[in-house]
Structure formats: C-alpha cells, structure tokens
Amino acid sequence: MDYCVIPSYEGYKLMHYISFVSLQEKTDEYGQEVFMASEMTNGIGEEERTTMEMLAILSRDGFEKLMKENELDATVTLGPGMAPVLTIGGYPGITVRAGYDEDGMPFGICFGGLRGMEPKLIEVAYGFEQPTMIRRPPA
C-alpha cells in the first residue's frame, strides 16, 4: 500500500489535498467524492455550531467534572468505547493490549485523562503493560 505525507498547517485548504491526490491519480482509491462534496459547502452552519457548543458543555459538565470531583489521574474502560468521548472533548487517551478473546483476537483497555495529562497516561499505560506482558508477536 502506498502512503504519502502531506504537510498540515493552517495555510492548506481542503482543495490542496484534493488537488494533490488528483495529481497522484489516486482519486478512485481515496474516495474523493466526500472531499469534493465537503469543498462545495460554505463551512460550518448554525446546526453544526449548536452541536459543537452542546458537546463542549457535555464534556465540561460530564467527563471533566467526573475527573476533577473524584480527583482522578485517569479513567479506564475495556475496549475502545471511551474513544469517542475523549475525541469529542479533545482529551488524550491511550489504548494498550489487555488480552485475547476465545478466538485469539486481541482486545485492549483505554486510559483517558484531562488535557495536559499525557505524561501521566503514558505512565499508567506503561505500568499496566509491563507487568502483564500480554503482547504476543503476530503469527
């Protein structure tokens, strides 16, 4: 599979990415239709703005409040179920392997925290990962 790295900074617009992929003749492979449709919009509308404000309130009054009131360094959940909460609120998270199901498929646990807690989350995840030594090389 071919990978390419495109610099990301504020000066780049969606059309730059669309043009880059088009030049690489990969438009079918990368599904340009979604990007082209997005480029045709006029940006964030009132509905999206309202949704973003509601999500910010839910993050502040939900996850942040839970963490602060209980003086938690991290939260932990089995599997990726917490990832959307962390992503929507802009919170850091790290997932490490926790075991294997009866079919041999790996599953993980997700540690999450408040903004700025990345070093603590790495410490917690490492503290779980090292003594368990669950990870197996791929077969």
Side-chain angles (χ1 to χ4, degrees), residues 4 9 34 37 47 63 67 81 86 90 93 101 107 120 122 130:
C4 61
Y9 62 92
V34 173
E47 184 179 350
F63 183 71
M67 294 290 291
L86 297 173
D101 67 15
F107 61 87
K120 179 55 95 174
I122 292 169
Q130 289 305 298

Side-chain angles (χ1 to χ4, degrees), residues 84-135:
V85 173
L86 297 173
T87 302
I88 288 169
Y91 304 110
I94 186 169
T95 301
V96 294
R97 187 159 300 157
Y100 298 86
D101 67 15
E102 59 275 354
D103 296 324
M105 291 298 294
F107 61 87
I109 57 174
C110 178
F111 298 98
L114 296 175
R115 290 175 200 95
M117 295 295 291
E118 292 86 347
K120 179 55 95 174
L121 289 179
I122 292 169
E123 180 184 330
V124 169
Y126 183 81
F128 171 82
E129 188 178 44
Q130 289 305 298
T132 60
M133 298 305 275
I134 294 290
R135 190 173 192 318

Side-chain angles (χ1 to χ4, degrees), residues 3 13 21 24 26 34 44-45 47 50 53 55 60 63 67-68 90 101-102 106-109 121-122 136 138-139:
Y3 293 96
K13 301 286 186 214
V21 173
Q24 300 297 312
K26 303 266 186 182
V34 173
I44 297 175
E47 184 179 350
T50 302
E53 289 170 5
L55 290 172
R60 184 191 67 229
F63 183 71
M67 294 290 291
K68 289 176 180 175
D101 67 15
E102 59 275 354
F107 61 87
I109 57 174
L121 289 179
I122 292 169
R136 285 187 260 167

Side-chain angles (χ1 to χ4, degrees), residues 31-83:
Q32 293 292 85
E33 301 81 27
V34 173
F35 295 124
M36 298 290 273
S38 180
E39 182 65 15
M40 300 305 284
T41 67
N42 61 359
I44 297 175
E46 191 57 39
E47 184 179 350
E48 290 83 7
R49 217 177 314 291
T50 302
T51 301
M52 289 170 29
E53 289 170 5
M54 179 57 71
L55 290 172
I57 291 168
L58 290 173
S59 293
R60 184 191 67 229
D61 294 344
F63 183 71
E64 280 187 39
K65 186 175 180 181
L66 169 82
M67 294 290 291
K68 289 176 180 175
E69 284 182 357
N70 293 288
E71 299 178 10
L72 300 175
D73 288 331
T75 59
V76 63
T77 59
L78 183 61
M82 185 179 206

Side-chain angles (χ1 to χ4, degrees), residues 19-30:
S19 298
F20 178 82
V21 173
S22 296
L23 287 173
Q24 300 297 312
E25 298 179 357
K26 303 266 186 182
T27 54
D28 292 337
E29 184 179 342
Y30 293 133

